[in-house]
């Protein structure tokens, strides 16, 4: 096979791979409108002087993957702190690619997550936790971006907080392993577009974060308290673009292969022209020999033998 043919084959393989990536990217545009469970955790003043919001989303078993999950976050929160997926809520989290798109003229921003596993976790810090002396207040709004067969909301009371009030009222789940009060409310199934509003109020005489207190307590006891923490995915997630790095590499390699194929083709055409010109040139001597061979006797008309000076039939001198 010629070099140009090999290059064209390689180019075709690269194009096939690129089209496969594009088709896969289109498959990721399939939106997720309904999930099996949505759990919303609200942890005020945990490791920042803000409200930590954690979405724990379990997809339905029949959800085709990859897919696209879209959620709205308040623009005041900025980019999410973590966007990750896992094979189950107990499995190791792996950062997922996402797009962060602030909505023009709106206090909300869209986060479009590329989902390849059945469990999704999204976290962000909302700085809108209001402090008035010892009084704290926060209003959380769920905008109904997706529907869920079951919606559960949990509120973790910060350390040294008292007089916690939640509207609508929540049920107490007791204390966590590190002594924090935990409250929960099950809202049942919610459809897409159905909203929730949760108001939280409590008193706190200091600005010591929950994690700071737990770390001090851990040092005093000289052991591990199993302090809960936000997600720590195993890989660094980056916002996605219309074409990922792998697709861009394929495009560059494809263009190089196409250029090489064109160069080899042009060189082949140039090599074919020159032999044709040489083969078309005929020496004048050979043409004269052909004329000399085709001689006939002027007396009897017999065709002369090559190189003969006399006719072999009648002996007449040949011209």
């Amino acid at each position: 096979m010629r070099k140009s043919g090999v290059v064209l084959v390689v180019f075709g393989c690269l194009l096939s791979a690129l089209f496969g990536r594009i088709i896969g990217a289109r498959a990721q545009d399939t939106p997720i409108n309904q999930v099996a469970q949505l759990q919303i955790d609200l942890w005020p003043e945990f490791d920042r002087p803000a409200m930590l919001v954690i979405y724990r989303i379990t997809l339905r078993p029949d959800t085709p993957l990859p897919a696209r999950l879209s959620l709205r976050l308040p623009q005041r929160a900025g980019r999410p702190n973590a966007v990750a997926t896992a094979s189950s809520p107990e499995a190791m989290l792996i950062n997922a690619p996402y797009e962060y798109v602030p909505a023009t003229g709106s206090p909300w921003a869209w986060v479009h997550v590329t989902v390849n596993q059945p469990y999704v976790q999204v976290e962000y810090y909302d700085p809108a936790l209001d402090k008035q002396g010892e009084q704290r207040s926060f209003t959380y709004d769920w905008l109904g971006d997706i529907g869920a067969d079951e919606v559960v909301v949990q509120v973790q009371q910060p350390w040294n907080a008292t007089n916690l009030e939640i509207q609508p009222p929540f049920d107490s789940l007791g204390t966590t392993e590190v002594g924090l009060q935990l409250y929960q409310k099950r809202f049942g199934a919610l459809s897409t577009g159905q909203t929730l509003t949760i108001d939280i109020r409590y008193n706190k005489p200091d600005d010591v974060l929950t994690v700071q207190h737990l770390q001090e307590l851990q040092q005093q006891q000289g052991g591990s308290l199993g302090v809960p923490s936000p997600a720590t995915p195993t890989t660094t997630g980056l916002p996605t673009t219309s074409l990922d790095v792998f697709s861009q590499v394929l495009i560059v390699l494809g263009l190089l292969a196409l250029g090489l194929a064109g160069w080899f083709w042009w060189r082949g055409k140039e090599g074919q022209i020159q032999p044709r010109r040489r083969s078309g040139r005929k020496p004048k001597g050979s043409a004269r020999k052909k004329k000399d061979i085709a001689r006939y006797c002027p007396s009897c008309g017999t065709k002369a033998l090559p190189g003969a000076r006399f006719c072999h039939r009648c002996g007449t001198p040949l011209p």
Side-chain angles (χ1 to χ4, degrees), residues 269-282:
K269 293 290 289 183
E270 185 183 46
Q272 292 175 357
I273 292 173
Q274 292 180 356
R276 287 181 182 178
R277 290 179 178 177
R278 287 196 297 268
S279 62
R281 295 175 182 176
K282 299 179 182 179

Side-chain angles (χ1 to χ4, degrees), residues 153-236:
V153 181
Q154 292 187 355
V155 176
Q156 181 175 268
Q157 181 173 320
W159 176 79
N160 206 25
T162 59
N163 302 325
L164 178 66
E165 297 180 2
I166 308 174
Q167 292 295 332
F170 277 43
D171 299 322
S172 175
L173 294 180
T175 59
T176 65
E177 296 179 357
V178 291
L180 301 175
Q181 292 289 330
L182 192 63
Y183 299 87
Q184 176 179 278
K185 184 173 182 60
R186 295 184 177 274
F187 289 89
L190 294 180
S191 59
T192 304
Q194 193 169 354
T195 62
L196 287 176
T197 298
I198 299 172
D199 292 317
I200 301 173
R201 298 179 183 275
Y202 60 91
N203 293 336
K204 195 172 189 305
D206 54 50
D207 293 327
V208 178
L209 300 176
T210 298
V211 165
Q212 292 175 329
H213 167 70
L214 295 177
Q215 290 173 345
E216 292 176 0
L217 186 62
Q218 180 173 302
Q219 291 177 355
Q220 293 174 3
Q221 296 184 0
S224 176
L225 296 176
V227 179
S229 62
T232 53
T234 58
T235 58
T236 303

Side-chain angles (χ1 to χ4, degrees), residues 7-25:
V7 174
L8 287 176
V9 170
V10 174
F11 178 63
C13 293
L14 291 173
L15 281 182
S16 299
L18 177 59
F19 289 149
R21 298 287 293 189
I22 294 174
I23 292 172

